[in-house]
Amino acid sequence: MEDNELEIKRLQELFRGRFTFEEAQLLISHHNGDCQAAANFVLDEEPERVRNVIGTENDMWQVVTNNQIWKDLIRQGTILKQERQFACITCDNVWWRKVPNRKLVSKCVRCKIRYDAVPKEYEWGRAEFHCQFCGNVFRGFGQMGVASSPCYRCGTVCSPNAILPGRRLQGRRSRNVHSCFCRNCFNRADGPFVEETCVHPRSLHRRVVFASQQHISTGSTVDTFLTQDDLASQVSDFEPILSDIDE
């Protein structure tokens, strides 16, 4: 992808999709390929001057310029993103990708089909657990919403608080061996039988546990309303203090 096209797409992301590719291209060209200069122009100039440059009567971008939080982020050149899980059932491929908040879409590298992110309530993989009984914080394998893992300290059945993106974990290696109550667990714990699938790699025959939906383009990615994610300030990744790290 050419640098100029990257700048055009970046300008589109800064304004949350309120400019079409062609409109963003005209703004970038008007400022000699400088995305930040084009963004500042939109923020600082009268709406009529902006419309003259893009050559249309589009005024949807004004919802962005009228919001102080968004304006501050644009001045900083900040595109709000989140790391999400994607899963292609056809290729049995699972990956994590940092994508813009307004468009949680990624392409499978094998089949080239674009997919929506796995809903957070169905994410699976390396997980962080908080035992509600003894307060123990530990890591293991699990799926959101599925209470299947016993606390390594008191044995209380726990469900994940969050699924961790698929990067190598730092910290000391725990001596705890994965064990849960799921029907297919390779090292099933003694206790209540859980019908859901154990997501530890040694238990799975396929990588995909919950498939992403194929992305259907509507021809527009413009948000109708301001979202909680878009208005939130960026914060550093949360790194909890862990008493156990399960491998």
Side-chain angles (χ1 to χ4, degrees), residues 4 15 21-22 60 67 120 165 169 175 180 222 228 231:
N4 195 52
F15 283 90
F21 183 88
E22 292 74 18
M60 291 186 294
N67 183 278
K120 279 187 172 292
L169 298 177
R175 295 180 181 179
C180 71
V222 174
Q228 193 76 12
L231 294 178

Side-chain angles (χ1 to χ4, degrees), residues 173-187:
R173 188 182 184 91
S174 172
R175 295 180 181 179
N176 296 320
V177 177
H178 175 81
S179 183
C180 71
F181 301 119
C182 290
R183 53 181 173 75
N184 65 317
C185 182
F186 73 95
N187 186 35

Side-chain angles (χ1 to χ4, degrees), residues 95-111:
W95 68 100
W96 290 81
R97 183 67 50 80
K98 188 169 286 189
V99 291
N101 281 353
R102 72 176 185 88
K103 191 173 184 181
L104 306 177
V105 178
S106 182
K107 183 186 296 184
C108 176
V109 296
R110 298 177 185 174
C111 65

